[in-house]
Each structure stands twice: as structure tokens, then as C-alpha cells.
Amino acid sequence: MSISNKMFAVSRKMLSVNSMQQNSRFFSVASRLQSSASQLFTQEQLRQKEMVGRIEKIEIRYIGTPKDTTLVMNRGLSTPHDCAKHIGEKYCRFSALALLDNNTAWDMRRPLEEPCTLQLLNFTSADPHLVNKAFWRTCSFLLGSVLHKSFKDEAGLFLHSFPKPNVKTGSFVHDIALSKNGWKPTSQELRALSIEMIKLSQQDLPIERLDVTSEVAQQMFSDNPYKREQIPSISSQNNGLITVYRVGDHVDISKGTMVSSTGLVGKCTIAAIHEVPKSSADKLSLYRVQGVALPIGLNLNHFAYGILEDRAKKLNPAKLPNEPYEEVAAEQVA
């Protein structure tokens, strides 16, 4: 049996069974680790809500269609997504990102702390730069979730990091470590990963953000030596805090911002996996996983999308994961 078949849990046969069977049969260890981090996320999220104390009201001035309006919301509890509920159902469904005071990108499910103006951004906004970056970053994050669930235990998978998004490179990226070297995925395996990304999108799961202390982050990622090594450097640049995101049971580190839910991801292809040349310090083999995706509702013909897929196969030029972390912290953790 090839190295690839030994390591890779996703197959056509596996795709025919339901997700519960997949988790119990193939992903038991990974699921337990993810569940532990998710439980810590929930506990810290509840603790922070309890710390809000007496609820104070703040005015949020919404600017946009169908009309400008002022909303009275709860400081430290209400989010742009909550504001969107007062405006209309389609704004909840299709708003990807919020813009506060015309200059600060804000996650849709991140609590609002001060009175501000609020704009809701989607993929048809006049200036899509902020939304595009958040979308690309989100795809990298979701790819980590799919990868974490798609390898058997003997693969020795660790999620390393994903670089800050650069749409011009033509691909989103997630860097991983495996216990085996020389793995060359087949076209069927890449297609299986693509299918898992699409299935995750179809679940339309919310994407949540939380700022935690470095001590809590160390507990969340106690099983991952790469994350543990990165946490001190990240916290030193962020007032001792680590920003983490959660989708389903999957938790990872990211500076953000990200779009509001997995349902905003449309067509998606995992295009290539490149082995990263080893350095003398590398104990495991490093791989760069790359993909391309379109937002929901944006359609391209087969020929045009094929051009994007071909471009996404080329090695993404972002800083490699085995470069010295302190020197490229901004590039390594998006």
C-alpha cells in the first residue's frame, strides 16, 4: 500500500457514508483534539460574556440600503450580525464583513464595544478589497479544518500556519507538517479534499472570533508544537492576547478578519500540494496546500475557472513555514 493510501482518510468510499460514521471510523483522535479546543473556546466565550456585567446601551448608526437608521444595541454583546437582523434577512445572509466608522474592518459576529457608524459589506461592494482579503483568509482557515479531519492518525498531521492573504498570488494556502516525506497526492485525493471544502460550505456554519490570553491559547493548542512556539511571539505583538477563530469544532489562530459563515464560500478547488524543502531543524516534512475558490453567487464558465485552477497549482510565493518565525511573524499567521 502506498504512503498516500496509508495516510489519507478521504476516499470515494468514505464520501458515501455520513459524517458521523466518518468521524468515528477515521477521525477519532483529531476530533477529540478539536473538541477539546472548542470546549475551551466555549468556556472562555461564556466567561467573557459574564464579565460584561451591567448591560449598557450604545447607538449604532447604520449607513446603507434600504435606508440609514440608528440602532440601540448592547455594548460588548451585540454584533454587526445582530444589527443586520434588524435591517433584513438578506443582510444577515449575504453580509460578509462590517466596516466601522468608515475605516475599521470588523467581523460580523464580533461584539461591538463603542458607538459607531456601521456599513455591511458583501462581495458586490464598490470597493471589495477588504472583503476579498477576509474571504481568502477564511478559505485558508476552512482548509485547515478539512485537512485536520482528512488524515489518518499515522500521518502525524500538525497544522502549522497560513500566511496573510494575497489575492494576487492566485491561491489561498495552509501549511502543514506530516510524519512522512515524499507524499504526492493523486488527483482523486485533491478532488476529495475539494469535495470536503464544498460540504463544509454547504453546512453554512457560523465563524466565530475570540481574543484569549496566551495561557488559554497554550491550553487550546497543547497538542500542537508549532502553535505553542508561535504563541509567545504573537501575544507580544498584541498586548498579550491571541485571536482565535472557530468553525464547528475546529479552532485556529488568525489575526482576522474573516467572513461571517462557511455558506459564503461557493465553488472551490484544492489545486495542489507542494512539499517544502526541509531545513536542518525540521523533524517532520512540511507541505504547502493550495486552493482557489469563488464567493457564493459569483459564477464563471468552465474555461475561465480552469484558468484560475491552473494558476492556483503554481507554488504560492508567500514565506515558507520553516523560515525563522520571529522574522516573518506577520507573514506566517494571517
Side-chain angles (χ1 to χ4, degrees):
M1 183 180 293
S2 67
I3 289 174
S4 177
N5 288 336
K6 288 181 179 179
M7 292 196 301
F8 199 63
V10 177
S11 66
R12 289 190 176 183
K13 181 178 180 181
M14 196 200 76
L15 292 174
S16 67
V17 297
N18 63 44
S19 59
M20 184 177 296
Q21 289 172 320
Q22 290 176 18
N23 287 337
S24 62
R25 183 177 173 188
F26 294 96
F27 312 140
S28 56
V29 172
S31 296
R32 285 201 303 272
L33 295 173
Q34 288 182 323
S35 179
S36 175
S38 181
Q39 288 172 6
L40 286 168
F41 188 105
T42 298
Q43 292 170 10
E44 180 62 16
Q45 190 178 55
L46 291 173
R47 186 194 70 81
Q48 292 185 19
K49 286 182 179 180
E50 291 172 356
M51 292 291 290
V52 172
R54 185 173 66 87
I55 296 177
E56 300 180 27
K57 299 295 183 180
I58 54 174
E59 287 191 355
I60 306 298
R61 179 64 177 168
Y62 170 71
I63 301 173
T65 57
K67 64 178 181 178
D68 296 355
T69 187
T70 298
L71 303 170
V72 178
M73 309 301 289
N74 297 325
R75 183 194 300 269
L77 294 174
S78 298
T79 67
H81 189 262
D82 294 322
C83 295
K85 293 177 182 178
H86 293 277
I87 300 167
E89 182 179 351
K90 73 174 184 179
Y91 297 92
C92 293
R93 175 70 182 88
F94 294 108
S95 295
L97 200 64
L99 186 66
L100 307 188
D101 293 330
N102 206 37
N103 60 18
T104 303
W106 201 263
D107 293 271
M108 286 294 293
R109 300 176 193 276
R110 182 181 179 184
L112 297 161
E113 301 293 344
E114 302 292 341
C116 61
T117 62
L118 169 68
Q119 298 173 63
L120 300 177
L121 306 181
N122 56 45
F123 298 107
T124 61
S125 297
D127 182 4
H129 175 69
L130 292 174
V131 179
N132 285 345
K133 287 186 68 174
F135 178 76
W136 224 233
R137 182 183 291 110
T138 303
C139 289
S140 290
F141 171 59
L142 299 182
L143 177 55
S145 175
V146 165
L147 291 167
H148 209 289
K149 293 180 178 179
S150 297
F151 284 84
K152 295 180 179 178
D153 302 340
E154 54 263 37
L157 170 74
F158 291 103
L159 299 182
H160 188 288
S161 57
F162 49 96
K164 63 182 181 181
N166 183 353
V167 179
K168 293 180 180 179
T169 64
S171 61
F172 59 84
V173 172
H174 207 116
D175 295 324
I176 63 173
L178 296 173
S179 60
K180 301 287 186 180
N181 59 18
W183 177 49
K184 295 181 180 179
T186 66
S187 59
Q188 285 185 329
E189 289 167 339
L190 292 174
R191 176 173 169 77
L193 288 172
S194 302
I195 291 172
E196 292 299 304
M197 285 286 288
I198 293 169
K199 289 169 64 178
L200 181 57
S201 168
Q202 291 173 343
Q203 293 180 61
D204 195 19
L205 298 176
I207 296 173
E208 305 170 277
R209 172 189 169 123
L210 192 67
D211 292 326
V212 302
T213 63
S214 58
E215 290 78 14
V216 172
Q218 289 284 2
Q219 293 179 54
M220 286 181 168
F221 303 102
S222 60
D223 64 299
N224 189 318
Y226 298 104
K227 304 292 183 187
R228 294 201 307 268
E229 181 182 356
Q230 295 162 11
I231 285 169
S233 176
I234 298 170
S235 64
S236 69
Q237 301 174 46
N238 192 34
N239 299 316
L241 296 176
I242 303 292
T243 301
V244 294
Y245 282 81
R246 178 172 69 176
V247 61
D249 283 338
H250 177 66
V251 179
D252 205 348
I253 299 170
S254 174
K255 297 174 183 177
T257 53
M258 295 197 191
V259 302
S260 60
S261 79
T262 65
L264 293 175
V265 179
K267 194 168 187 177
C268 180
T269 301
I270 305 307
I273 299 178
H274 299 279
E275 186 168 11
V276 176
K278 266 191 171 184
S279 71
S280 57
D282 292 333
K283 296 181 179 179
L284 299 176
S285 296
L286 297 172
Y287 294 85
R288 171 154 289 181
V289 188
Q290 302 180 186
V292 64
L294 299 177
I296 192 74
L298 179 60
N299 298 311
L300 287 180
N301 63 48
H302 179 74
F303 177 77
Y305 188 72
I307 293 175
L308 296 183
E309 288 180 311
D310 288 340
R311 187 182 179 196
K313 293 176 183 178
K314 299 178 181 179
L315 178 63
N316 190 293
K319 295 288 186 179
L320 295 174
N322 53 1
E323 295 187 15
Y325 180 73
E326 290 76 9
E327 297 179 11
V328 293
E331 287 81 4
Q332 278 196 316
V333 180

